[in-house]
Structures are given as C-alpha cells and as structure tokens.
Amino acid sequence: MNGDEQDPPEQTHAGRYRKIGSVLRRHGFGFLLGFLGLDRGGAGRRGGAADAAQNATAQSPMHLRAALEELGPTFIKLGQLLSTRSDLLPPAFVTELAKLQDSAPPVPIAVIRDQIRRELGAAPEAIFATFDDRPLASASIGQAHAATLEDGTPVVVKVRKPDAVALVRTDLEILQNLASRAARTWEFARDFDAVGIVDEFAGTLRAELDYLEEGRNAERFAMNFEDDVSVVVPRVYWETTTSRVLTLERMRGINVTDGDALDEAEVDRELVARKGAAIVLKMIFEDRFFHADLHPGNLFIHDDGTIALIDFGMVGVISEELREHLSRLFVAMVRGDAELLTSALIDVSVTSASVDRMKLRDELRPFVSRYRLSSVRHTPFARMMTDLFGILRSNRVRLPREMTLLFKALLLIESLAMRLDPDFRLGEALEPYAGRLAWERLRVSTIARRLSKASIDAGELALDLPSIIRRVVDVADTTGVQIHLRAAELEPLVGRAERIGNRLVAGMIGAALISGIGGMVSSDRRWGSWRGTMVGTGLGAIGALGAYLAWTARHRRLR
C-alpha cells in the first residue's frame, strides 16, 4: 500500500478567484463581490450591509444552487452543508440546496486502475476475483466500482479521484479567505460567524477525503448494532483499504422511495418506519454517535424488512456538553417555559452577535405554547423545527454544528418514515427519549456532578481572587486612581464575603454528600433497599445546612 503518493499540484488561486467572481455575477449575486473582496472597484458595496443581506434573501434560491453547481465539488459540498442549516437560511433556500447532488462525470478507467495499482500494489485483477470497469457511481471526490473477492463475496471499491485533494485544498483556502474578508466588512457575515462556519465545513470535508476515517466510522456503527439483527452495516475489508481506496461489503435492497417494489416484496411499511426511527434515536440518545446523512440513497430495505446502511463519511458526535444543552432544551419544552428556553438557546449559541434577550423570549412564548412537549406524541416535528429555526434566524442565534446535524438526522428520518407510513409520527418514538433526557437533569448523580463542577469553579475563582485584586490595585496605582473606604462602608462587603464563603462551603459539602450517596446506591446493590432512607437523609442534611445559612444570615442582619 502506498499511502505516501502525492496528489497533483494545486490549481492557481488567482484563476479560481476570477472564476468565483464571474459565476456570482452571472447568477445575480454580484452585490456580494465587494464584501468578499472580489470587486476592486467597490461597486459591490453600494447600499451597505443591510441591503446586501436583503438582496441575498430575495435572490432566487435556484440561482444559488446553479452557481454552486457551476463552481464544482467543494461548493456543492458547501451547499449540501448549508441545506442542513435552517438556523441560517430561509426554508426556500434550504429546500433548493437539498437538491444538490454530489455527482460528476466518471474519470477514465485507466486513471482508476492506476490509482488502485499505486495504493494496493497490483492491478485490480490481481487483487479481486472480478472488477467491473463500469462505475456504479461517480461523485466529485470518488468513484465506486463493483468487484468480488476471491471467496466470491460481492464488494464495492471506492477510489478517490487523483486530483480531488488538490481541488479541495485550493477551494477551502479561498473560502476561508473570503469568509475572513466578509466578516471584516459585512455585519451579517460577522454576526453569523462566517469564519467559524467555513472552518467547520473545512474540517468535515477533509475528514470525508480520508477513506480510513469512513472505514472506522462503519466499524463503530457495526459494533453499536451488533446485537440488532434488523440492522446491517457493511463489513470493511482492511487488507484492500487505504486513505484513497475503500473496500466495503456490497449492500443491496429496495430503495425506500420505491413503493411498488416494497409492496411487491410484501414489506411491512409501518414496522420498517418505526424501526428506522428507532435506529436513528438509538444512535443519537444512546450511542451518541449518529449517521448525519441518511437520505434515501444511503439506506436499503431487504425483503424481510432489514435495514442496510451505507456511506459513513458524515457523522455526528454528542458530547457531554451538548447533551447537557439538549437536556435543558427538552426541560424547557416539557415545562413550556419560554424564559428557560431563551436562556438555553443563548447559552448554546455560537454566534458572536449580541442577542436581544427580551425579543427572543417574546417570540418563543407562543412557540412553546403551541409545541409544548408534554404532548410530544402529537407534535409535528418538521413544522416545529421550521418555526424554531425561523425564530433563531430573526434573532441571529446560530446553533453548533453537531446540534444542527442532529436535527437534520431527525428531520430526515421523519421524512423517510412518512414515505413508508403516512400516519407515522416521530413524536411517538421521540417521547420516551425526550422525557428521559429532561428528567435526567434531576437525577442525584447529575445534580452532584453539576454541584461539584460549580464548587470547583468557585474554588478556582477564590484562588484567583488575590491576583485579580492585585492587578486592580496595580492599575489604580498606575493611573492615579484613589480609593477611599470607611469602616462603615467595609461592613457590607465583609458581610457579603462571609455569606459567599458560607455558601461555597455548604455547596461543596452538599455536592460531596450527594455524590457519595449517589455513588453508593448506584455501584453497590447491597444499598438498594436503603436507597429511600439514604436519599432522605442526604436531603435532610442539605436542608439542615440551608437552615443554618438562613439563621446565620438573619443573625447578622440583627447585629
């Protein structure tokens, strides 16, 4: 295997910049050139940032899709990513960009054969029992061919096109430069963190270029579903896999959109719809590792109702921090609490723009009344997310990438399931997970973990306080600021410091107590029968600490 083979030299940046400017003008987006630094005359800046944002919204979504298609694979991939960002683009643009297909004319078979020879050390005939020169599919980055192993196993061989990396590298560098320029001159691009969006996109696309990463993703999904016979994940054949060549077990089946074929095979559509939803929800809420691109072409249905998954280049990972954010969102929706939902969305937002909290809260109040998740079973999920994303856009709140991928996965599986069963409701499948995630915040171990973290943060702040005060004094000395305090003025400060100290100690003790009780109950079955007594004792102790603090506070006020 030759993993050190270099890709062809990159194309010139200057020519690519000219191409981008020409395509944008031809499709009616010339007003963006000034903000992107592609219009040296400055004509593109006329009207200001507000007019540019209005023009971008009014421009035909079809023209944007056509422009991205004309600019080639990197921009097609960018359009596909933006089609998942309903928090950034209006529904018409999201719908149109979702039509972008990553397809390209096949490269000559001699090029594919030469790439296999360089990567695997021999011609295809020497490695596989059969190799079909006719491609199964040809995308911008790779081309897939059918083959069989020596034991007769059907496989798919994905071969990366030799010039793919050079083109992507050039385009990503250009996109990052353009995003940086736009953020300096266009408030809209700055508020929605255009630089951060492009950086996220660059990381995602570079990962897709590495077939070793896709192989590892496939194996992780196979491990997560090894006990579920109704899900099939293709096996990776590592002996014929490199970063540029990927050999996978070939998956066959019925496309989820082919209703006639499903009926002919007598597939139980309702059962498959429920199973498909269960697969995605397990990925998200149990495995915390999910397929982020489950469109109709990436899953097949066998005659017995088994679901086969393919194409593992785009995945999402649910971190502990993101799970905490999701928990807060679900709690707010279950309680119908617009104030809590406002705080949760502002906290999770990654935009650099300042958010008008009162405006966001006022727009969320009718939203939570309409979609309160206590009735999640009957909630039209797609409509709910469309309304929420509209509110986020109007308030310039941008969600992190993993959360938007998660919502995209839920919307995709709802759409696919409803093709199979028009009466399907995602809320019915989501209800137990939403409730579990919401109430998880109230578990003893969760409370203990959050209290422990708060105690640590407070402790670190206390340790840093002397140096902070020292720096303030140094600044005061340098600038000539004089501070005069009388004893009577110090008394409230001392009292406040004492109360903070008492609460900090109580919080640390309470966290340790809850953590200890939670650990004993969850790790040792012998304590199971004492669970109620121990939790009651712990809560009583915390109540006693609270009473003590209240008494000391009252005692100090009386002095």
Side-chain angles (χ1 to χ4, degrees), residues 325-385:
H325 285 306
L326 285 172
S327 176
R328 291 185 66 197
L329 291 175
F330 277 117
V331 167
M333 291 299 295
V334 168
R335 290 168 49 182
D337 189 333
E339 185 69 43
L340 180 58
L341 184 59
T342 301
S343 298
L345 288 171
I346 290 176
D347 289 345
V348 76
S349 174
V350 293
T351 182
S352 59
S354 58
V355 178
D356 185 334
R357 185 185 185 91
M358 293 183 64
K359 177 177 178 291
L360 177 60
R361 183 195 60 201
D362 290 344
E363 292 185 25
L364 286 173
R365 276 178 175 158
F367 172 81
V368 296
S369 297
R370 188 181 311 120
Y371 297 113
R372 184 169 179 173
L373 286 185
S374 57
S375 58
V376 66
R377 176 179 296 271
H378 305 294
T379 298
F381 190 77
R383 191 189 311 161
M384 180 182 75
M385 295 312 303

Short mmCIF file of all heavy atoms in Angstrom, two decimals, residues 325-385:
data_model
loop_
_atom_site.label_atom_id
_atom_site.label_comp_id
_atom_site.label_asym_id
_atom_site.label_seq_id
_atom_site.Cartn_x
_atom_site.Cartn_y
_atom_site.Cartn_z
N HIS A 325 -26.86 20.64 27.02
CA HIS A 325 -27.66 21.66 26.35
C HIS A 325 -28.99 21.08 25.86
O HIS A 325 -30.05 21.71 26.00
CB HIS A 325 -26.88 22.24 25.16
CG HIS A 325 -25.78 23.18 25.55
ND1 HIS A 325 -25.99 24.27 26.36
CD2 HIS A 325 -24.45 23.19 25.24
CE1 HIS A 325 -24.85 24.93 26.53
NE2 HIS A 325 -23.91 24.29 25.86
N LEU A 326 -28.94 19.89 25.28
CA LEU A 326 -30.17 19.24 24.81
C LEU A 326 -31.12 19.00 25.98
O LEU A 326 -32.34 19.17 25.85
CB LEU A 326 -29.84 17.92 24.13
CG LEU A 326 -29.24 17.99 22.73
CD1 LEU A 326 -28.80 16.60 22.28
CD2 LEU A 326 -30.26 18.56 21.74
N SER A 327 -30.57 18.59 27.10
CA SER A 327 -31.38 18.34 28.28
C SER A 327 -32.12 19.61 28.70
O SER A 327 -33.32 19.57 28.99
CB SER A 327 -30.49 17.83 29.42
OG SER A 327 -31.24 17.67 30.60
N ARG A 328 -31.42 20.73 28.70
CA ARG A 328 -32.06 21.99 29.07
C ARG A 328 -33.15 22.38 28.08
O ARG A 328 -34.22 22.88 28.48
CB ARG A 328 -31.02 23.11 29.15
CG ARG A 328 -30.03 22.98 30.30
CD ARG A 328 -29.13 24.19 30.36
NE ARG A 328 -29.88 25.39 30.70
CZ ARG A 328 -29.42 26.64 30.51
NH1 ARG A 328 -28.23 26.83 29.96
NH2 ARG A 328 -30.14 27.67 30.85
N LEU A 329 -32.90 22.15 26.79
CA LEU A 329 -33.90 22.47 25.78
C LEU A 329 -35.16 21.63 25.98
O LEU A 329 -36.29 22.14 25.92
CB LEU A 329 -33.33 22.25 24.38
CG LEU A 329 -32.23 23.21 23.92
CD1 LEU A 329 -31.67 22.77 22.57
CD2 LEU A 329 -32.75 24.63 23.84
N PHE A 330 -34.97 20.33 26.23
CA PHE A 330 -36.13 19.46 26.42
C PHE A 330 -36.88 19.80 27.71
O PHE A 330 -38.11 19.75 27.74
CB PHE A 330 -35.69 17.99 26.43
CG PHE A 330 -35.55 17.41 25.05
CD1 PHE A 330 -34.32 16.97 24.60
CD2 PHE A 330 -36.63 17.31 24.21
CE1 PHE A 330 -34.17 16.45 23.32
CE2 PHE A 330 -36.50 16.78 22.93
CZ PHE A 330 -35.27 16.36 22.49
N VAL A 331 -36.16 20.14 28.77
CA VAL A 331 -36.82 20.54 30.01
C VAL A 331 -37.68 21.77 29.77
O VAL A 331 -38.84 21.86 30.21
CB VAL A 331 -35.77 20.81 31.11
CG1 VAL A 331 -36.42 21.53 32.30
CG2 VAL A 331 -35.15 19.51 31.58
N ALA A 332 -37.13 22.75 29.05
CA ALA A 332 -37.87 23.97 28.77
C ALA A 332 -39.12 23.68 27.95
O ALA A 332 -40.19 24.24 28.21
CB ALA A 332 -36.97 24.96 28.03
N MET A 333 -39.00 22.77 26.97
CA MET A 333 -40.16 22.44 26.13
C MET A 333 -41.20 21.65 26.90
O MET A 333 -42.41 21.85 26.73
CB MET A 333 -39.70 21.68 24.90
CG MET A 333 -38.89 22.51 23.91
SD MET A 333 -39.83 23.92 23.25
CE MET A 333 -41.11 23.08 22.32
N VAL A 334 -40.76 20.72 27.75
CA VAL A 334 -41.71 19.93 28.55
C VAL A 334 -42.47 20.84 29.52
O VAL A 334 -43.68 20.68 29.72
CB VAL A 334 -40.96 18.81 29.30
CG1 VAL A 334 -41.85 18.18 30.35
CG2 VAL A 334 -40.47 17.75 28.31
N ARG A 335 -41.77 21.79 30.11
CA ARG A 335 -42.40 22.69 31.07
C ARG A 335 -43.13 23.85 30.40
O ARG A 335 -43.87 24.59 31.06
CB ARG A 335 -41.34 23.24 32.03
CG ARG A 335 -40.81 22.20 33.00
CD ARG A 335 -39.57 22.68 33.75
NE ARG A 335 -39.73 23.99 34.33
CZ ARG A 335 -38.77 24.63 35.00
NH1 ARG A 335 -37.58 24.05 35.15
NH2 ARG A 335 -38.97 25.82 35.49
N GLY A 336 -42.89 24.05 29.10
CA GLY A 336 -43.48 25.20 28.42
C GLY A 336 -42.95 26.51 28.95
O GLY A 336 -43.67 27.50 29.04
N ASP A 337 -41.65 26.54 29.29
CA ASP A 337 -41.02 27.68 29.95
C ASP A 337 -40.22 28.49 28.92
O ASP A 337 -39.10 28.11 28.54
CB ASP A 337 -40.11 27.17 31.07
CG ASP A 337 -39.59 28.30 31.95
OD1 ASP A 337 -39.49 29.43 31.47
OD2 ASP A 337 -39.27 28.01 33.12
N ALA A 338 -40.78 29.59 28.45
CA ALA A 338 -40.11 30.41 27.44
C ALA A 338 -38.84 31.04 27.99
O ALA A 338 -37.85 31.21 27.26
CB ALA A 338 -41.05 31.49 26.93
N GLU A 339 -38.84 31.41 29.27
CA GLU A 339 -37.66 32.03 29.88
C GLU A 339 -36.49 31.05 29.90
O GLU A 339 -35.36 31.39 29.55
CB GLU A 339 -37.99 32.50 31.29
CG GLU A 339 -36.87 33.28 31.97
CD GLU A 339 -36.63 34.64 31.32
OE1 GLU A 339 -37.62 35.34 31.01
OE2 GLU A 339 -35.45 34.98 31.12
N LEU A 340 -36.76 29.81 30.31
CA LEU A 340 -35.71 28.79 30.36
C LEU A 340 -35.23 28.45 28.96
O LEU A 340 -34.03 28.27 28.73
CB LEU A 340 -36.23 27.54 31.05
CG LEU A 340 -35.25 26.36 31.19
CD1 LEU A 340 -34.00 26.79 31.94
CD2 LEU A 340 -35.91 25.19 31.88
N LEU A 341 -36.14 28.37 27.99
CA LEU A 341 -35.76 28.08 26.61
C LEU A 341 -34.90 29.20 26.05
O LEU A 341 -33.93 28.95 25.32
CB LEU A 341 -37.00 27.87 25.75
CG LEU A 341 -36.75 27.45 24.29
CD1 LEU A 341 -35.97 26.14 24.23
CD2 LEU A 341 -38.06 27.32 23.54
N THR A 342 -35.22 30.42 26.38
CA THR A 342 -34.41 31.56 25.95
C THR A 342 -32.99 31.44 26.47
O THR A 342 -32.02 31.60 25.72
CB THR A 342 -35.04 32.88 26.44
OG1 THR A 342 -36.36 33.00 25.92
CG2 THR A 342 -34.21 34.08 26.01
N SER A 343 -32.85 31.16 27.76
CA SER A 343 -31.52 31.02 28.36
C SER A 343 -30.76 29.86 27.72
O SER A 343 -29.56 29.98 27.42
CB SER A 343 -31.63 30.78 29.86
OG SER A 343 -32.24 31.89 30.50
N ALA A 344 -31.45 28.74 27.49
CA ALA A 344 -30.80 27.57 26.91
C ALA A 344 -30.30 27.86 25.50
O ALA A 344 -29.18 27.46 25.14
CB ALA A 344 -31.76 26.39 26.90
N LEU A 345 -31.08 28.56 24.69
CA LEU A 345 -30.68 28.86 23.31
C LEU A 345 -29.54 29.87 23.26
O LEU A 345 -28.64 29.75 22.44
CB LEU A 345 -31.89 29.37 22.52
CG LEU A 345 -32.95 28.32 22.18
CD1 LEU A 345 -34.19 28.97 21.60
CD2 LEU A 345 -32.38 27.29 21.21
N ILE A 346 -29.58 30.86 24.14
CA ILE A 346 -28.49 31.84 24.18
C ILE A 346 -27.19 31.16 24.62
O ILE A 346 -26.12 31.42 24.07
CB ILE A 346 -28.85 33.01 25.11
CG1 ILE A 346 -29.97 33.86 24.49
CG2 ILE A 346 -27.62 33.88 25.39
CD1 ILE A 346 -30.46 34.98 25.38
N ASP A 347 -27.29 30.26 25.59
CA ASP A 347 -26.10 29.57 26.09
C ASP A 347 -25.48 28.66 25.03
O ASP A 347 -24.27 28.51 24.94
CB ASP A 347 -26.43 28.76 27.33
CG ASP A 347 -26.71 29.63 28.54
OD1 ASP A 347 -26.36 30.83 28.49
OD2 ASP A 347 -27.27 29.13 29.53
N VAL A 348 -26.34 28.01 24.22
CA VAL A 348 -25.82 27.07 23.22
C VAL A 348 -25.37 27.78 21.96
O VAL A 348 -24.60 27.23 21.16
CB VAL A 348 -26.88 26.00 22.88
CG1 VAL A 348 -27.94 26.55 21.96
CG2 VAL A 348 -26.24 24.77 22.25
N SER A 349 -25.81 29.02 21.75
CA SER A 349 -25.49 29.74 20.53
C SER A 349 -23.99 29.98 20.39
O SER A 349 -23.29 30.25 21.38
CB SER A 349 -26.22 31.08 20.50
OG SER A 349 -25.82 31.87 19.40
N VAL A 350 -23.49 29.87 19.17
CA VAL A 350 -22.07 30.10 18.91
C VAL A 350 -21.85 31.36 18.10
O VAL A 350 -20.77 31.59 17.58
CB VAL A 350 -21.44 28.89 18.18
CG1 VAL A 350 -21.42 27.68 19.07
CG2 VAL A 350 -22.19 28.58 16.88
N THR A 351 -22.88 32.20 17.97
CA THR A 351 -22.74 33.43 17.21
C THR A 351 -22.03 34.48 18.04
O THR A 351 -22.09 34.47 19.27
CB THR A 351 -24.12 33.97 16.76
OG1 THR A 351 -23.93 35.14 15.97
CG2 THR A 351 -24.97 34.31 17.97
N SER A 352 -21.35 35.38 17.34
CA SER A 352 -20.67 36.47 18.05
C SER A 352 -21.58 37.68 18.23
O SER A 352 -21.20 38.64 18.89
CB SER A 352 -19.42 36.90 17.25
OG SER A 352 -19.79 37.33 15.95
N ALA A 353 -22.76 37.65 17.64
CA ALA A 353 -23.68 38.78 17.73
C ALA A 353 -24.33 38.81 19.11
O ALA A 353 -24.60 37.78 19.71
CB ALA A 353 -24.76 38.69 16.65
N SER A 354 -24.60 40.02 19.59
CA SER A 354 -25.33 40.15 20.84
C SER A 354 -26.80 39.88 20.56
O SER A 354 -27.36 40.33 19.55
CB SER A 354 -25.16 41.57 21.41
OG SER A 354 -25.61 42.53 20.48
N VAL A 355 -27.43 39.13 21.44
CA VAL A 355 -28.82 38.70 21.25
C VAL A 355 -29.73 39.54 22.14
O VAL A 355 -29.44 39.74 23.32
CB VAL A 355 -28.98 37.20 21.57
CG1 VAL A 355 -30.43 36.78 21.42
CG2 VAL A 355 -28.07 36.36 20.69
N ASP A 356 -30.81 40.06 21.54
CA ASP A 356 -31.82 40.79 22.30
C ASP A 356 -32.65 39.77 23.06
O ASP A 356 -33.56 39.14 22.51
CB ASP A 356 -32.69 41.61 21.35
CG ASP A 356 -33.68 42.51 22.09
OD1 ASP A 356 -34.04 42.18 23.24
OD2 ASP A 356 -34.12 43.51 21.52
N ARG A 357 -32.35 39.61 24.35
CA ARG A 357 -32.97 38.56 25.14
C ARG A 357 -34.49 38.71 25.22
O ARG A 357 -35.23 37.74 25.09
CB ARG A 357 -32.36 38.56 26.54
CG ARG A 357 -32.84 37.42 27.42
CD ARG A 357 -32.30 37.54 28.84
NE ARG A 357 -32.68 36.38 29.60
CZ ARG A 357 -31.96 35.29 29.70
NH1 ARG A 357 -30.79 35.20 29.07
NH2 ARG A 357 -32.37 34.26 30.43
N MET A 358 -34.95 39.93 25.43
CA MET A 358 -36.39 40.15 25.58
C MET A 358 -37.13 39.84 24.28
O MET A 358 -38.21 39.25 24.29
CB MET A 358 -36.66 41.58 26.04
CG MET A 358 -36.16 41.88 27.44
SD MET A 358 -36.56 43.56 27.98
CE MET A 358 -38.35 43.49 27.99
N LYS A 359 -36.56 40.24 23.16
CA LYS A 359 -37.19 39.97 21.86
C LYS A 359 -37.27 38.47 21.61
O LYS A 359 -38.30 37.94 21.17
CB LYS A 359 -36.40 40.65 20.75
CG LYS A 359 -36.92 40.38 19.33
CD LYS A 359 -36.12 41.17 18.32
CE LYS A 359 -36.58 40.87 16.89
NZ LYS A 359 -36.23 39.50 16.48
N LEU A 360 -36.17 37.76 21.88
CA LEU A 360 -36.14 36.31 21.69
C LEU A 360 -37.18 35.64 22.58
O LEU A 360 -37.93 34.75 22.13
CB LEU A 360 -34.75 35.77 21.98
CG LEU A 360 -34.57 34.25 21.89
CD1 LEU A 360 -34.91 33.74 20.49
CD2 LEU A 360 -33.14 33.85 22.27
N ARG A 361 -37.25 36.05 23.84
CA ARG A 361 -38.22 35.45 24.77
C ARG A 361 -39.65 35.69 24.32
O ARG A 361 -40.49 34.79 24.37
CB ARG A 361 -38.00 36.03 26.17
CG ARG A 361 -38.91 35.41 27.24
CD ARG A 361 -38.89 36.27 28.48
NE ARG A 361 -39.37 37.62 28.18
CZ ARG A 361 -39.10 38.68 28.93
NH1 ARG A 361 -38.35 38.57 30.01
NH2 ARG A 361 -39.56 39.88 28.58
N ASP A 362 -39.94 36.92 23.86
CA ASP A 362 -41.29 37.24 23.42
C ASP A 362 -41.70 36.41 22.20
O ASP A 362 -42.87 36.04 22.05
CB ASP A 362 -41.40 38.72 23.11
CG ASP A 362 -41.32 39.60 24.36
OD1 ASP A 362 -41.49 39.04 25.47
OD2 ASP A 362 -41.06 40.80 24.23
N GLU A 363 -40.74 36.11 21.31
CA GLU A 363 -41.05 35.30 20.14
C GLU A 363 -41.16 33.81 20.49
O GLU A 363 -41.86 33.06 19.80
CB GLU A 363 -39.98 35.50 19.06
CG GLU A 363 -40.00 36.90 18.45
CD GLU A 363 -39.01 37.03 17.31
OE1 GLU A 363 -38.67 36.00 16.68
OE2 GLU A 363 -38.58 38.17 17.04
N LEU A 364 -40.51 33.40 21.56
CA LEU A 364 -40.56 31.99 21.96
C LEU A 364 -41.82 31.65 22.76
O LEU A 364 -42.20 30.48 22.84
CB LEU A 364 -39.32 31.64 22.79
CG LEU A 364 -38.00 31.50 22.02
CD1 LEU A 364 -36.84 31.33 22.98
CD2 LEU A 364 -38.07 30.32 21.05
N ARG A 365 -42.44 32.64 23.37
CA ARG A 365 -43.62 32.35 24.21
C ARG A 365 -44.75 31.67 23.42
O ARG A 365 -45.25 30.62 23.84
CB ARG A 365 -44.10 33.64 24.87
CG ARG A 365 -43.35 33.96 26.15
CD ARG A 365 -43.79 35.25 26.77
NE ARG A 365 -43.12 35.46 28.05
CZ ARG A 365 -42.97 36.64 28.62
NH1 ARG A 365 -43.45 37.73 28.02
NH2 ARG A 365 -42.35 36.76 29.78
N PRO A 366 -45.18 32.22 22.29
CA PRO A 366 -46.22 31.50 21.53
C PRO A 366 -45.72 30.17 20.97
O PRO A 366 -46.50 29.23 20.80
CB PRO A 366 -46.58 32.48 20.40
CG PRO A 366 -45.43 33.42 20.30
CD PRO A 366 -44.87 33.53 21.67
N PHE A 367 -44.41 30.09 20.72
CA PHE A 367 -43.83 28.84 20.20
C PHE A 367 -43.96 27.71 21.22
O PHE A 367 -44.42 26.61 20.90
CB PHE A 367 -42.37 29.07 19.82
CG PHE A 367 -41.63 27.81 19.47
CD1 PHE A 367 -41.74 27.25 18.20
CD2 PHE A 367 -40.82 27.18 20.41
CE1 PHE A 367 -41.07 26.09 17.88
CE2 PHE A 367 -40.13 26.02 20.09
CZ PHE A 367 -40.27 25.46 18.82
N VAL A 368 -43.58 27.96 22.48
CA VAL A 368 -43.65 26.90 23.49
C VAL A 368 -45.10 26.58 23.85
O VAL A 368 -45.41 25.44 24.20
CB VAL A 368 -42.85 27.28 24.76
CG1 VAL A 368 -41.37 27.40 24.46
CG2 VAL A 368 -43.37 28.56 25.39
N SER A 369 -45.99 27.57 23.72
CA SER A 369 -47.40 27.28 23.97
C SER A 369 -47.97 26.35 22.89
O SER A 369 -48.78 25.47 23.18
CB SER A 369 -48.20 28.59 23.99
OG SER A 369 -47.78 29.43 25.04
N ARG A 370 -47.49 26.54 21.67
CA ARG A 370 -48.01 25.75 20.55
C ARG A 370 -47.42 24.35 20.53
O ARG A 370 -48.10 23.38 20.20
CB ARG A 370 -47.68 26.46 19.24
CG ARG A 370 -48.32 25.83 18.00
CD ARG A 370 -47.93 26.59 16.74
NE ARG A 370 -48.13 28.02 16.88
CZ ARG A 370 -47.15 28.93 16.77
NH1 ARG A 370 -45.92 28.53 16.53
NH2 ARG A 370 -47.41 30.20 16.91
N TYR A 371 -46.13 24.22 20.90
CA TYR A 371 -45.44 22.93 20.75
C TYR A 371 -44.97 22.35 22.07
O TYR A 371 -43.98 21.62 22.09
CB TYR A 371 -44.25 23.09 19.81
CG TYR A 371 -44.61 23.50 18.42
CD1 TYR A 371 -44.25 24.75 17.94
CD2 TYR A 371 -45.33 22.66 17.59
CE1 TYR A 371 -44.57 25.14 16.65
CE2 TYR A 371 -45.66 23.04 16.29
CZ TYR A 371 -45.28 24.28 15.84
OH TYR A 371 -45.60 24.65 14.56
N ARG A 372 -45.62 22.65 23.15
CA ARG A 372 -45.18 22.15 24.45
C ARG A 372 -45.05 20.62 24.39
O ARG A 372 -45.97 19.92 23.99
CB ARG A 372 -46.18 22.53 25.54
CG ARG A 372 -45.72 22.12 26.91
CD ARG A 372 -46.59 22.73 27.99
NE ARG A 372 -46.15 22.31 29.32
CZ ARG A 372 -46.64 22.80 30.44
NH1 ARG A 372 -47.57 23.73 30.41
NH2 ARG A 372 -46.21 22.35 31.60
N LEU A 373 -43.88 20.11 24.79
CA LEU A 373 -43.56 18.70 24.57
C LEU A 373 -44.25 17.76 25.55
O LEU A 373 -44.00 16.55 25.51
CB LEU A 373 -42.04 18.49 24.64
CG LEU A 373 -41.27 18.99 23.42
CD1 LEU A 373 -39.80 18.63 23.54
CD2 LEU A 373 -41.83 18.44 22.14
N SER A 374 -45.13 18.28 26.40
CA SER A 374 -45.92 17.36 27.20
C SER A 374 -46.86 16.58 26.30
O SER A 374 -47.34 15.50 26.65
CB SER A 374 -46.72 18.13 28.26
OG SER A 374 -47.55 19.11 27.63
N SER A 375 -47.08 17.12 25.09
CA SER A 375 -47.88 16.41 24.09
C SER A 375 -47.01 16.06 22.88
O SER A 375 -47.44 16.20 21.75
CB SER A 375 -49.06 17.27 23.65
OG SER A 375 -48.62 18.50 23.13
N VAL A 376 -45.76 15.66 23.15
CA VAL A 376 -44.80 15.39 22.08
C VAL A 376 -45.32 14.32 21.12
O VAL A 376 -44.99 14.31 19.93
CB VAL A 376 -43.44 14.97 22.67
CG1 VAL A 376 -43.54 13.64 23.39
CG2 VAL A 376 -42.38 14.90 21.58
N ARG A 377 -46.13 13.43 21.62
CA ARG A 377 -46.67 12.34 20.79
C ARG A 377 -47.38 12.88 19.55
O ARG A 377 -47.35 12.26 18.49
CB ARG A 377 -47.62 11.50 21.64
CG ARG A 377 -48.33 10.40 20.89
CD ARG A 377 -49.21 9.63 21.87
NE ARG A 377 -48.39 8.97 22.89
CZ ARG A 377 -47.89 7.76 22.75
NH1 ARG A 377 -48.11 7.08 21.66
NH2 ARG A 377 -47.16 7.23 23.71
N HIS A 378 -48.00 14.04 19.68
CA HIS A 378 -48.79 14.58 18.57
C HIS A 378 -48.11 15.81 17.94
O HIS A 378 -48.74 16.51 17.15
CB HIS A 378 -50.18 14.97 19.06
CG HIS A 378 -50.90 13.84 19.73
ND1 HIS A 378 -51.30 12.71 19.07
CD2 HIS A 378 -51.26 13.66 21.04
CE1 HIS A 378 -51.89 11.88 19.92
NE2 HIS A 378 -51.88 12.43 21.12
N THR A 379 -46.85 16.04 18.27
CA THR A 379 -46.16 17.22 17.76
C THR A 379 -45.68 17.00 16.33
O THR A 379 -44.97 16.03 16.06
CB THR A 379 -44.95 17.56 18.65
OG1 THR A 379 -45.40 17.87 19.97
CG2 THR A 379 -44.19 18.76 18.10
N PRO A 380 -46.04 17.88 15.39
CA PRO A 380 -45.49 17.80 14.03
C PRO A 380 -44.05 18.31 14.05
O PRO A 380 -43.80 19.52 14.03
CB PRO A 380 -46.42 18.72 13.23
CG PRO A 380 -46.97 19.68 14.22
CD PRO A 380 -47.02 18.96 15.54
N PHE A 381 -43.10 17.40 14.12
CA PHE A 381 -41.72 17.77 14.39
C PHE A 381 -41.16 18.70 13.31
O PHE A 381 -40.49 19.69 13.63
CB PHE A 381 -40.87 16.50 14.49
CG PHE A 381 -39.48 16.75 14.99
CD1 PHE A 381 -39.25 16.97 16.34
CD2 PHE A 381 -38.40 16.77 14.13
CE1 PHE A 381 -37.97 17.21 16.82
CE2 PHE A 381 -37.12 17.01 14.59
CZ PHE A 381 -36.90 17.22 15.94
N ALA A 382 -41.40 18.38 12.03
CA ALA A 382 -40.85 19.19 10.95
C ALA A 382 -41.35 20.63 11.05
O ALA A 382 -40.59 21.60 10.90
CB ALA A 382 -41.20 18.59 9.59
N ARG A 383 -42.66 20.81 11.30
CA ARG A 383 -43.22 22.15 11.40
C ARG A 383 -42.65 22.87 12.63
O ARG A 383 -42.36 24.07 12.59
CB ARG A 383 -44.74 22.08 11.49
CG ARG A 383 -45.42 23.45 11.32
CD ARG A 383 -46.91 23.36 11.63
NE ARG A 383 -47.52 22.24 10.92
CZ ARG A 383 -48.69 21.73 11.28
NH1 ARG A 383 -49.33 22.20 12.35
NH2 ARG A 383 -49.20 20.72 10.60
N MET A 384 -42.50 22.15 13.73
CA MET A 384 -41.95 22.74 14.95
C MET A 384 -40.54 23.26 14.70
O MET A 384 -40.19 24.38 15.08
CB MET A 384 -41.94 21.72 16.08
CG MET A 384 -41.38 22.27 17.39
SD MET A 384 -41.32 21.04 18.71
CE MET A 384 -39.90 20.06 18.20
N MET A 385 -39.68 22.45 14.02
CA MET A 385 -38.31 22.86 13.78
C MET A 385 -38.25 24.02 12.79
O MET A 385 -37.41 24.91 12.93
CB MET A 385 -37.49 21.68 13.25
CG MET A 385 -37.34 20.53 14.25
SD MET A 385 -36.84 21.08 15.91
CE MET A 385 -35.32 21.96 15.56
#
